[in-house]
Amino acid sequence: MTLDKSREKIFSRRAALLTGGQLALFAGLGARMYYLQVLQSDRYRTLAEENRINLRLLAPPRGQITDRFGAPMAINVQNYRVVIIREQVDDVAATLVRLENLLDPGSFDLDRILRDIKRRRAFVPVTVSENLSWHEVSRLEVNAPNLPGVSIDVGMSRYYPLGSVASHVMGYVAAVSEKDLTGDPVLELPGFRIGKHGVERFFDTALRGKAGNSQVEVNAVGRVIRELERDEGQPGSEILLTLDSTLQTFAADLLARERSAAAVVMDVHHGDILAMVSSPGFNPNAFSEGMKGEEWRELVQNPYAPLTNKAIAGQYPPGSTFKIVVALAALEAGIDPDSRVFCRGVTRLGNRQFHCWKRHGHGHMDIHGAIRESCDVYFYDLALKLGVDRISEMAQRMGLGSRFNFELSEEKAGLMPSRAWKQATYGEPWHKGETLIAAIGQGYVLATPLQLAVMTARLVNGGKAVTPQLILQPAPHDAGEESFAAPEFADIGVSEIARTTVMEALDQVVNHPKGTARKSRITDPAMAMGGKTGTSQVRRISMAERDGGVRKNEEKPWKERDHALFVGYAPVSAPQYAVAVVVEHGGGGSTAAAPIASALLEEAQRRSSARRNAPGRVADSGGSEKASPL
């Protein structure tokens, strides 16, 4: 009896404990459910919504670039690309192998893809290949079930209709590198391109625009079911260049006949760059599409340096075109333009001889004849009277020896030496012989084609310190008569009589029977040009070479031949356009550079009526009304 009661008590106690435990368990579950469903309901509702809805950034359309007439020079075209999202792929290596077998040969850069996958966040799509063909798109779509985490994306790529014709001005866009990343999520978008060179680089921020976004509903495995909302963002700004694409193409065709050359055509009153060509050029579309290693090596190893913009970064001894500066310095110093110097072909200074290009001399020369026939001895005499510092000071007033800091960052400054410069640079005094050499644009003197064009423009535009412009500022529709006025530039402080004297001589260089550029004159009197030839020596023929039969410049290796230069303007009666042409190792300026300059100035004038109707310049001829007619 006692044993039964004891068992009954044990059973009752265990039953009570079990019941209590069950009650505690249900109470705990109830409390947890209350916590999750009531107290944390907002939080989990948000998380669930986020799992269902993804927010994706949309790259804004890059702003277009056009010439002064609105002709497209950089546009966006649609392309298809395949992207991979690491966090949605079970085996990245196996997936990439399958992709490689589906894409055309040469479109797959495994090292680059693995590098991008490693440095990007797991949920960021990484571009595998761009510019897919329809065949590639079809193959990928058919095999989509076997490629989780892989998708085809429709994007925009940059296209340059003129190709290499304006490559150095336009520059190019390319993929974002690691050093370009700033934390801006737009830069991590697959296929996003930024400006790396030229105008594309200078205006990159404005051209990018503002990113949009897309809200999409996805299923449990992340597949997009539908788009809920879309904000396209703001397209990049449109950039209007001063270039005339037709004249640019014309210039490129002319320069393509030479191995390496550069030319600049500019409006002398506004500073508008109408054409700027460096030849050979490169194909900027190759950078947009993704340049292959072999293509890059060919560009870098090309002996004619297609990646260098020689119009602004090529620094050349200006040769006899520099005599314009020396003549202005002399006239401003009060030297009589009618005073004569006898040229017998050589000038002696101490025990050194400085030769004129004409071995037997020019005879008696005044300033008109010396410029017209490019007499070196006359300018040796002027240089000794002036000294290098006065020449250097005038050169800087004419725009030589310093950068203009305009829209192309690779611009070089050239060099205008002085006594102080040499002392500071080499710790040595300046020598008189160096002054003679500088007077004919040799020795330390260096200038870019752009600087030579500006020098010519400042001479013929009334002595205004015009600076080059690549961006056209549209005139407001209600600007009225004021939109006809040229921009205000400071006066360079050269007297009208000095400028007129030199311009008369430049007219004779082309249009006088003894002028060095007579063969390149424009026969239409209304379009006649003036100008100055130049030939800068690269290396003198050695005695050993002479003994070996080398007598002429063209018999030397190409790299050692003289540079050919010409600066000019037109029309002579009311200057509107200035031009500078440099043909690397082209020989004489009169034979290689002057014909190109003549053709460019003639074409520029033919197109002047069209240019007057450009949207940004209501009338280009407005400035010419202020010019000093000869």
Side-chain angles (χ1 to χ4, degrees):
M1 186 68 183
T2 304
L3 182 60
D4 291 340
K5 286 184 178 179
S6 176
R7 287 178 177 172
E8 185 176 350
K9 285 181 181 177
I10 292 172
F11 177 77
S12 299
R13 189 165 54 247
R14 288 180 179 175
L17 287 173
L18 181 60
T19 303
Q22 288 176 333
L23 290 174
L25 178 61
F26 282 119
L29 288 173
R32 183 62 179 169
M33 291 177 65
Y34 177 79
Y35 174 78
L36 293 176
Q37 295 188 7
V38 177
L39 299 182
Q40 295 292 315
S41 60
D42 291 343
R43 175 171 176 254
Y44 287 103
R45 186 180 298 110
T46 303
L47 289 175
E49 194 72 7
E50 286 179 353
N51 282 334
R52 187 178 67 87
I53 299 174
N54 277 355
L55 187 65
R56 299 182 176 184
L57 276 178
L58 299 175
R62 192 171 178 83
Q64 296 194 16
I65 303 175
T66 69
D67 81 344
R68 64 189 301 122
F69 301 111
M73 300 193 74
I75 58 176
N76 304 312
V77 295
Q78 192 178 62
N79 73 22
Y80 293 90
R81 56 174 170 256
V82 57
V83 299
I84 184 170
I85 302 175
R86 189 179 64 190
E87 67 177 6
Q88 298 177 7
V89 180
D90 294 331
D91 187 340
V92 171
T95 302
L96 289 177
V97 169
R98 284 197 289 273
L99 278 174
E100 187 173 17
N101 293 329
L102 295 171
L103 297 173
D104 292 338
S107 61
F108 204 86
D109 185 348
L110 183 60
D111 292 339
R112 193 270 305 162
I113 297 167
L114 292 175
R115 189 169 60 246
D116 287 352
I117 288 177
K118 186 176 180 181
R119 78 183 190 198
R120 299 284 172 84
R121 285 169 283 187
F123 59 87
V124 175
V126 169
T127 302
V128 175
S129 182
E130 293 190 83
N131 302 303
L132 301 180
S133 65
W134 276 113
H135 290 294
E136 290 176 305
V137 172
S138 302
R139 286 198 292 266
L140 290 172
E141 288 289 357
V142 169
N143 289 276
N146 300 321
L147 297 168
V150 174
S151 60
I152 296 174
D153 196 11
V154 181
M156 307 295 288
S157 64
R158 203 62 158 168
Y159 179 68
Y160 303 92
L162 296 185
S164 63
V165 165
S167 55
H168 294 98
V169 175
M170 305 304 299
Y172 54 83
V173 296
V176 180
S177 66
E178 199 159 355
K179 68 178 182 181
D180 297 322
L181 295 174
T182 59
D184 184 349
V186 174
L187 297 179
E188 297 189 37
L189 288 173
F192 195 78
R193 298 283 194 268
I194 60 172
K196 295 278 189 174
H197 194 70
V199 171
E200 290 276 23
R201 178 183 176 183
F202 189 85
F203 290 102
D204 183 56
T205 303
L207 288 166
R208 283 186 202 173
K210 183 180 177 184
N213 60 72
S214 170
Q215 279 190 352
V216 294
E217 185 178 1
V218 296
N219 61 16
V221 295
R223 187 175 296 279
V224 176
I225 300 173
R226 60 175 174 152
E227 186 175 62
L228 302 176
E229 191 174 328
R230 190 179 186 88
D231 174 9
E232 295 290 353
Q234 184 177 336
S237 302
E238 183 175 334
I239 302 295
L240 198 63
L241 299 180
T242 59
L243 292 181
D244 175 345
S245 59
T246 301
L247 186 63
Q248 178 83 7
T249 303
F250 183 81
D253 289 344
L254 287 174
L255 295 189
R257 302 169 190 172
E258 307 292 340
R259 298 189 196 185
S260 181
V264 176
V265 182
M266 66 181 290
D267 182 298
V268 302
H269 302 288
H270 295 94
D272 290 358
I273 302 295
L274 302 172
M276 176 184 284
V277 177
S278 178
S279 182
F282 59 88
N283 179 14
N285 295 309
F287 288 89
S288 300
E289 296 166 359
M291 183 172 289
K292 297 179 178 61
E294 185 179 348
E295 291 178 273
W296 175 251
R297 281 192 293 277
E298 285 179 6
L299 278 176
V300 173
Q301 295 171 3
N302 189 316
Y304 307 120
L307 291 176
T308 301
N309 185 352
K310 302 179 187 79
I312 60 171
Q315 301 180 102
Y316 307 92
S320 292
T321 64
F322 192 66
K323 289 171 181 172
I324 292 173
V325 169
V326 181
L328 288 172
L331 292 168
E332 288 296 279
I335 292 175
D336 184 355
D338 295 325
S339 63
R340 291 175 171 251
V341 172
F342 184 75
C343 171
R344 59 182 180 83
V346 67
T347 290
R348 292 185 184 279
L349 182 66
N351 59 358
R352 290 192 59 188
Q353 290 186 339
F354 295 83
H355 293 273
C356 183
W357 69 269
K358 192 172 184 178
R359 174 180 288 187
H360 301 295
H362 290 88
H364 290 284
M365 286 278 115
D366 62 9
I367 199 165
H368 289 91
I371 293 176
R372 180 183 67 229
E373 299 178 41
S374 203
C375 175
D376 293 334
V377 167
Y378 181 90
F379 282 91
Y380 293 152
D381 183 76
L382 286 187
L384 289 175
K385 292 174 182 173
L386 290 169
V388 70
D389 287 346
R390 281 198 278 194
I391 296 173
S392 180
E393 190 273 334
M394 178 58 73
Q396 291 175 35
R397 276 198 268 174
M398 299 301 289
L400 306 180
S402 59
R403 298 176 54 179
F404 299 110
N405 295 317
F406 72 135
E407 294 83 2
L408 298 178
S409 57
E410 63 269 37
E411 180 192 12
K412 301 293 184 187
L415 177 61
M416 287 302 117
S418 64
R419 289 185 299 171
W421 168 83
K422 189 180 179 189
Q423 189 66 44
T425 305
Y426 296 105
E428 297 175 3
W430 185 267
H431 301 294
K432 280 187 177 180
E434 293 170 326
T435 305
L436 270 63
I437 296 172
I440 59 170
Q442 297 274 175
Y444 296 113
V445 182
L446 294 173
T448 67
L450 175 65
Q451 290 174 336
L452 294 175
V454 171
M455 173 190 76
T456 309
R458 290 184 178 186
L459 171 72
V460 303
N461 72 355
K464 301 298 181 184
V466 65
T467 54
Q469 315 287 331
L470 256 179
I471 303 304
L472 198 64
Q473 299 298 327
H477 296 301
D478 58 351
E481 291 300 319
E482 290 186 1
S483 62
F484 284 78
E488 290 294 330
F489 294 107
D491 197 294
I492 61 174
V494 175
S495 66
E496 184 173 349
I497 190 169
R499 289 188 307 98
T500 304
T501 300
V502 173
M503 290 172 68
E504 287 172 347
L506 297 184
D507 182 9
Q508 294 181 16
V509 167
V510 180
N511 301 304
H512 190 279
K514 291 186 177 181
T516 55
R518 170 74 175 174
K519 292 181 180 177
S520 297
R521 70 187 185 282
I522 298 174
T523 53
D524 183 346
M527 294 186 179
M529 75 170 185
K532 183 70 191 81
T533 53
T535 303
S536 60
Q537 190 178 66
V538 174
R539 191 181 68 78
R540 184 180 296 177
I541 298 174
S542 66
M543 289 304 296
E545 287 173 322
R546 289 187 186 281
D547 292 341
V550 177
R551 291 286 187 275
K552 298 178 181 178
N553 179 63
E554 57 267 27
E555 293 173 347
K556 293 189 288 186
W558 178 78
K559 268 284 188 181
E560 298 174 0
R561 297 175 192 169
D562 300 341
H563 295 313
L565 302 99
F566 188 84
V567 297
Y569 63 95
V572 169
S573 57
Q576 184 67 37
Y577 308 107
V579 65
V581 176
V582 176
V583 179
E584 278 193 346
H585 311 293
S590 61
T591 55
I596 296 173
S598 175
L600 282 174
L601 286 173
E602 193 167 1
E603 181 67 13
Q605 292 177 88
R606 284 202 181 102
R607 293 187 53 74
S608 62
S609 59
R611 193 169 295 114
R612 278 196 291 272
N613 295 324
R617 294 276 184 262
V618 177
D620 275 347
S621 59
S624 66
E625 295 172 3
K626 300 179 181 179
S628 303
L630 292 175

Coordinates of all heavy atoms in Angstrom, one line a residue, residues 72-123:
P72 N 27.9 65.2 -85.9 CA 28.4 64.3 -84.8 C 29.9 64.0 -84.9 O 30.4 63.6 -85.9 CB 27.5 63.1 -84.9 CG 27.1 63.1 -86.3 CD 27.0 64.5 -86.7
M73 N 30.6 64.1 -83.7 CA 32.0 63.7 -83.7 C 32.2 62.6 -82.6 O 33.2 61.9 -82.6 CB 32.9 64.9 -83.4 CG 32.7 66.0 -84.5 SD 34.0 67.2 -84.4 CE 35.4 66.3 -85.1
A74 N 31.3 62.5 -81.7 CA 31.3 61.4 -80.7 C 29.9 61.1 -80.3 O 29.2 62.0 -79.8 CB 32.1 61.8 -79.5
I75 N 29.4 59.9 -80.5 CA 28.0 59.6 -80.3 C 28.0 58.2 -79.5 O 29.0 57.6 -79.3 CB 27.2 59.4 -81.6 CG1 27.8 58.4 -82.5 CG2 27.1 60.8 -82.3 CD1 27.0 58.1 -83.7
N76 N 26.8 57.8 -79.1 CA 26.6 56.6 -78.4 C 25.8 55.6 -79.3 O 24.9 56.0 -79.9 CB 25.8 56.8 -77.1 CG 26.4 57.8 -76.2 OD1 27.6 57.8 -76.0 ND2 25.7 58.8 -75.7
V77 N 26.3 54.4 -79.4 CA 25.6 53.3 -80.1 C 25.3 52.2 -79.2 O 26.0 51.9 -78.2 CB 26.5 52.9 -81.3 CG1 26.6 54.0 -82.3 CG2 27.8 52.4 -80.9
Q78 N 24.3 51.4 -79.6 CA 23.8 50.3 -78.7 C 24.8 49.1 -78.9 O 25.2 48.8 -80.0 CB 22.4 49.9 -79.1 CG 21.7 49.0 -78.1 CD 20.3 48.7 -78.5 OE1 20.0 48.2 -79.6 NE2 19.4 49.1 -77.7
N79 N 25.0 48.4 -77.8 CA 25.8 47.2 -78.0 C 25.3 46.2 -77.0 O 24.5 46.5 -76.0 CB 27.3 47.4 -77.8 CG 27.7 47.7 -76.4 OD1 27.0 47.3 -75.4 ND2 28.8 48.3 -76.2
Y80 N 25.6 44.9 -77.2 CA 25.2 43.8 -76.3 C 26.4 43.3 -75.6 O 27.5 43.1 -76.3 CB 24.5 42.7 -77.1 CG 23.2 43.1 -77.6 CD1 23.0 43.7 -78.9 CD2 22.0 43.0 -76.9 CE1 21.8 44.1 -79.4 CE2 20.8 43.4 -77.4 CZ 20.7 43.9 -78.6 OH 19.5 44.3 -79.1
R81 N 26.3 43.0 -74.3 CA 27.5 42.5 -73.6 C 27.0 41.4 -72.6 O 25.8 41.4 -72.2 CB 28.2 43.6 -72.8 CG 27.3 44.4 -71.9 CD 28.1 45.3 -71.0 NE 27.2 46.2 -70.3 CZ 27.0 47.5 -70.6 NH1 27.6 48.0 -71.7 NH2 26.2 48.2 -69.9
V82 N 27.9 40.5 -72.3 CA 27.5 39.4 -71.4 C 28.2 39.8 -70.0 O 29.4 40.1 -70.0 CB 27.9 38.1 -71.9 CG1 29.4 38.0 -72.2 CG2 27.6 37.0 -70.9
V83 N 27.5 39.6 -68.9 CA 28.0 39.9 -67.6 C 27.8 38.7 -66.7 O 26.9 37.9 -66.9 CB 27.3 41.2 -67.0 CG1 27.6 42.4 -67.9 CG2 25.8 41.0 -66.8
I84 N 28.6 38.7 -65.6 CA 28.5 37.6 -64.7 C 28.4 38.2 -63.3 O 29.1 39.2 -63.0 CB 29.7 36.6 -64.8 CG1 29.5 35.4 -63.9 CG2 31.0 37.3 -64.6 CD1 30.6 34.3 -64.2
I85 N 27.6 37.6 -62.4 CA 27.4 38.1 -61.0 C 27.9 37.0 -60.1 O 27.4 35.9 -60.1 CB 26.0 38.5 -60.7 CG1 25.5 39.5 -61.7 CG2 25.9 39.0 -59.2 CD1 24.0 39.9 -61.5
R86 N 29.1 37.2 -59.5 CA 29.8 36.2 -58.7 C 28.9 35.5 -57.7 O 28.9 34.3 -57.6 CB 31.0 36.8 -58.0 CG 31.9 35.8 -57.4 CD 33.1 36.4 -56.8 NE 32.7 37.3 -55.7 CZ 33.5 38.1 -55.0 NH1 34.8 38.3 -55.4 NH2 33.1 38.8 -54.0
E87 N 28.1 36.3 -56.9 CA 27.3 35.7 -55.8 C 26.2 34.7 -56.3 O 25.7 34.0 -55.5 CB 26.7 36.7 -54.9 CG 25.7 37.6 -55.6 CD 25.0 38.6 -54.6 OE1 25.5 38.7 -53.5 OE2 24.1 39.2 -55.0
Q88 N 25.9 34.8 -57.6 CA 24.9 33.9 -58.1 C 25.4 32.7 -58.9 O 24.7 32.0 -59.5 CB 24.0 34.7 -59.1 CG 23.2 35.9 -58.4 CD 22.4 36.7 -59.4 OE1 22.3 36.3 -60.5 NE2 21.9 37.8 -58.9
V89 N 26.8 32.6 -58.9 CA 27.4 31.5 -59.6 C 28.0 30.5 -58.6 O 28.7 30.9 -57.7 CB 28.5 32.0 -60.5 CG1 29.2 30.9 -61.3 CG2 27.9 33.0 -61.5
D90 N 27.7 29.2 -58.8 CA 28.2 28.2 -57.9 C 29.7 27.9 -58.1 O 30.5 27.9 -57.2 CB 27.5 26.8 -58.1 CG 26.0 27.0 -57.6 OD1 25.8 27.8 -56.7 OD2 25.2 26.3 -58.2
D91 N 30.1 27.8 -59.4 CA 31.5 27.6 -59.8 C 31.9 28.5 -60.9 O 31.6 28.3 -62.0 CB 31.6 26.1 -60.3 CG 33.0 25.7 -60.5 OD1 33.9 26.6 -60.6 OD2 33.3 24.5 -60.5
V92 N 32.6 29.6 -60.5 CA 32.9 30.7 -61.4 C 33.8 30.1 -62.5 O 33.6 30.4 -63.7 CB 33.6 31.8 -60.7 CG1 34.2 32.8 -61.7 CG2 32.7 32.5 -59.7
A93 N 34.8 29.3 -62.1 CA 35.8 28.8 -63.1 C 35.1 28.0 -64.2 O 35.3 28.1 -65.4 CB 36.9 28.0 -62.4
A94 N 34.2 27.1 -63.8 CA 33.5 26.2 -64.7 C 32.6 27.1 -65.6 O 32.5 26.8 -66.8 CB 32.7 25.2 -64.0
T95 N 31.9 28.1 -65.0 CA 31.1 28.9 -65.8 C 31.9 29.7 -66.9 O 31.4 29.8 -68.0 CB 30.3 29.9 -64.9 OG1 29.6 29.2 -63.9 CG2 29.4 30.8 -65.7
L96 N 33.0 30.2 -66.5 CA 33.9 30.9 -67.5 C 34.3 30.0 -68.6 O 34.4 30.4 -69.8 CB 35.1 31.6 -66.8 CG 34.7 32.7 -65.8 CD1 36.0 33.2 -65.1 CD2 34.1 33.9 -66.6
V97 N 34.6 28.8 -68.3 CA 35.0 27.8 -69.4 C 33.9 27.6 -70.3 O 34.1 27.6 -71.6 CB 35.4 26.5 -68.7 CG1 35.6 25.4 -69.8 CG2 36.7 26.6 -67.9
R98 N 32.7 27.5 -69.8 CA 31.5 27.3 -70.7 C 31.3 28.5 -71.6 O 31.0 28.5 -72.8 CB 30.2 27.0 -69.9 CG 30.2 25.6 -69.4 CD 28.8 25.2 -68.9 NE 28.4 25.9 -67.7 CZ 28.6 25.4 -66.5 NH1 29.3 24.3 -66.3 NH2 28.3 26.1 -65.4
L99 N 31.5 29.7 -71.0 CA 31.3 31.0 -71.7 C 32.4 31.1 -72.8 O 32.1 31.5 -73.9 CB 31.4 32.2 -70.8 CG 30.2 32.5 -70.0 CD1 30.5 33.7 -69.0 CD2 29.1 33.0 -70.9
E100 N 33.6 30.7 -72.5 CA 34.7 30.9 -73.5 C 34.4 30.0 -74.7 O 34.7 30.4 -75.8 CB 36.0 30.5 -72.8 CG 37.2 30.7 -73.7 CD 38.5 30.4 -73.0 OE1 38.5 29.8 -72.0 OE2 39.6 30.9 -73.5
N101 N 33.8 28.9 -74.5 CA 33.4 28.0 -75.6 C 32.3 28.5 -76.5 O 32.1 28.1 -77.6 CB 33.1 26.6 -75.1 CG 34.3 25.9 -74.5 OD1 35.4 26.2 -74.9 ND2 34.0 25.1 -73.5
L102 N 31.5 29.4 -75.9 CA 30.3 30.0 -76.6 C 30.6 31.3 -77.3 O 29.9 31.7 -78.2 CB 29.2 30.2 -75.6 CG 28.6 28.9 -75.0 CD1 27.6 29.3 -73.9 CD2 27.9 28.1 -76.0
L103 N 31.7 32.0 -76.9 CA 32.0 33.3 -77.6 C 33.0 33.1 -78.7 O 33.8 32.1 -78.7 CB 32.6 34.2 -76.5 CG 31.6 34.6 -75.4 CD1 32.3 35.4 -74.3 CD2 30.4 35.3 -75.9
D104 N 33.0 34.1 -79.6 CA 34.0 34.0 -80.7 C 35.4 34.1 -80.2 O 35.7 34.8 -79.2 CB 33.7 35.2 -81.7 CG 32.4 35.0 -82.4 OD1 31.9 33.9 -82.4 OD2 31.8 36.0 -82.8
P105 N 36.4 33.5 -80.9 CA 37.8 33.6 -80.5 C 38.2 35.0 -80.4 O 37.9 35.9 -81.2 CB 38.5 32.8 -81.6 CG 37.5 31.9 -82.2 CD 36.2 32.7 -82.1
G106 N 39.0 35.4 -79.4 CA 39.6 36.7 -79.3 C 38.8 37.7 -78.5 O 39.2 38.8 -78.2
S107 N 37.5 37.3 -78.1 CA 36.7 38.2 -77.4 C 36.7 37.9 -75.9 O 36.0 38.4 -75.1 CB 35.3 38.1 -77.9 OG 34.8 36.8 -77.7
F108 N 37.6 37.0 -75.5 CA 37.6 36.6 -74.1 C 39.0 36.8 -73.5 O 40.0 36.3 -73.9 CB 37.3 35.1 -74.1 CG 36.8 34.6 -72.8 CD1 35.4 34.6 -72.6 CD2 37.6 34.1 -71.8 CE1 34.9 34.2 -71.4 CE2 37.1 33.6 -70.6 CZ 35.7 33.7 -70.4
D109 N 39.1 37.7 -72.4 CA 40.3 38.0 -71.7 C 40.2 37.4 -70.3 O 39.7 38.1 -69.4 CB 40.6 39.5 -71.8 CG 41.9 39.8 -71.2 OD1 42.6 39.0 -70.5 OD2 42.4 41.0 -71.3
L110 N 40.6 36.2 -70.1 CA 40.4 35.6 -68.8 C 41.0 36.3 -67.7 O 40.5 36.5 -66.6 CB 40.8 34.1 -68.9 CG 40.6 33.3 -67.6 CD1 39.1 33.2 -67.3 CD2 41.2 31.9 -67.8
D111 N 42.3 36.7 -67.9 CA 43.0 37.4 -66.8 C 42.3 38.7 -66.4 O 42.1 38.9 -65.2 CB 44.4 37.8 -67.3 CG 45.3 36.6 -67.5 OD1 44.9 35.5 -66.9 OD2 46.3 36.6 -68.3
R112 N 41.8 39.4 -67.3 CA 41.1 40.7 -67.0 C 39.8 40.4 -66.3 O 39.4 41.1 -65.3 CB 40.8 41.5 -68.3 CG 40.3 42.9 -68.1 CD 38.8 43.0 -68.0 NE 38.1 42.4 -69.1 CZ 36.8 42.2 -69.1 NH1 36.1 42.4 -68.0 NH2 36.3 41.6 -70.1
I113 N 39.1 39.3 -66.7 CA 37.8 39.0 -66.0 C 38.0 38.6 -64.6 O 37.3 39.0 -63.7 CB 37.1 37.9 -66.8 CG1 36.8 38.3 -68.2 CG2 35.8 37.4 -66.1 CD1 36.4 37.2 -69.2
L114 N 39.0 37.7 -64.4 CA 39.3 37.2 -63.0 C 39.7 38.4 -62.1 O 39.4 38.4 -60.9 CB 40.4 36.1 -63.1 CG 39.9 34.8 -63.7 CD1 41.1 33.9 -63.8 CD2 38.8 34.2 -62.9
R115 N 40.5 39.3 -62.7 CA 40.9 40.5 -61.9 C 39.7 41.3 -61.5 O 39.7 41.8 -60.4 CB 41.9 41.3 -62.8 CG 42.6 42.4 -62.0 CD 43.8 43.0 -62.9 NE 43.3 43.5 -64.1 CZ 43.7 43.0 -65.3 NH1 44.4 42.0 -65.4 NH2 43.2 43.6 -66.4
D116 N 38.8 41.5 -62.5 CA 37.6 42.4 -62.1 C 36.8 41.7 -61.1 O 36.2 42.3 -60.2 CB 36.8 42.6 -63.4 CG 37.5 43.6 -64.3 OD1 38.5 44.2 -63.9 OD2 37.1 43.9 -65.5
I117 N 36.6 40.3 -61.3 CA 35.8 39.6 -60.3 C 36.3 39.7 -58.9 O 35.6 39.8 -57.9 CB 35.6 38.1 -60.8 CG1 34.7 38.0 -62.0 CG2 35.1 37.2 -59.6 CD1 34.6 36.6 -62.5
K118 N 37.6 39.7 -58.8 CA 38.3 39.7 -57.5 C 38.2 41.0 -56.8 O 38.0 41.1 -55.6 CB 39.8 39.3 -57.7 CG 40.5 39.2 -56.4 CD 42.0 38.8 -56.7 CE 42.7 38.6 -55.4 NZ 44.2 38.2 -55.6
R119 N 38.2 42.1 -57.6 CA 38.2 43.4 -57.0 C 36.8 44.0 -56.8 O 36.7 45.0 -56.1 CB 39.1 44.4 -57.8 CG 38.5 44.9 -59.0 CD 39.5 45.8 -59.8 NE 38.8 46.5 -60.9 CZ 39.4 47.1 -61.9 NH1 40.7 47.0 -61.9 NH2 38.8 47.7 -62.8
R120 N 35.9 43.5 -57.5 CA 34.5 44.0 -57.4 C 33.7 43.3 -56.3 O 34.0 42.1 -56.0 CB 33.7 43.9 -58.7 CG 34.4 44.6 -59.9 CD 34.1 46.1 -59.8 NE 34.9 46.9 -60.8 CZ 34.5 47.1 -62.0 NH1 33.4 46.6 -62.4 NH2 35.2 47.8 -62.8
R121 N 32.7 43.9 -55.7 CA 31.9 43.3 -54.8 C 31.1 42.2 -55.4 O 30.8 42.2 -56.6 CB 31.0 44.3 -54.1 CG 31.7 45.2 -53.1 CD 30.9 46.4 -52.6 NE 30.9 47.4 -53.7 CZ 30.4 48.6 -53.5 NH1 29.8 48.9 -52.3 NH2 30.4 49.5 -54.5
A122 N 30.7 41.2 -54.6 CA 30.1 39.9 -55.1 C 28.8 40.1 -55.9 O 28.5 39.4 -56.8 CB 29.9 38.9 -54.0
F123 N 28.1 41.2 -55.5 CA 26.8 41.4 -56.2 C 26.9 42.3 -57.4 O 25.9 42.6 -58.1 CB 25.8 42.0 -55.2 CG 26.2 43.3 -54.6 CD1 26.0 44.5 -55.3 CD2 26.9 43.4 -53.4 CE1 26.4 45.7 -54.7 CE2 27.3 44.6 -52.9 CZ 27.0 45.8 -53.5

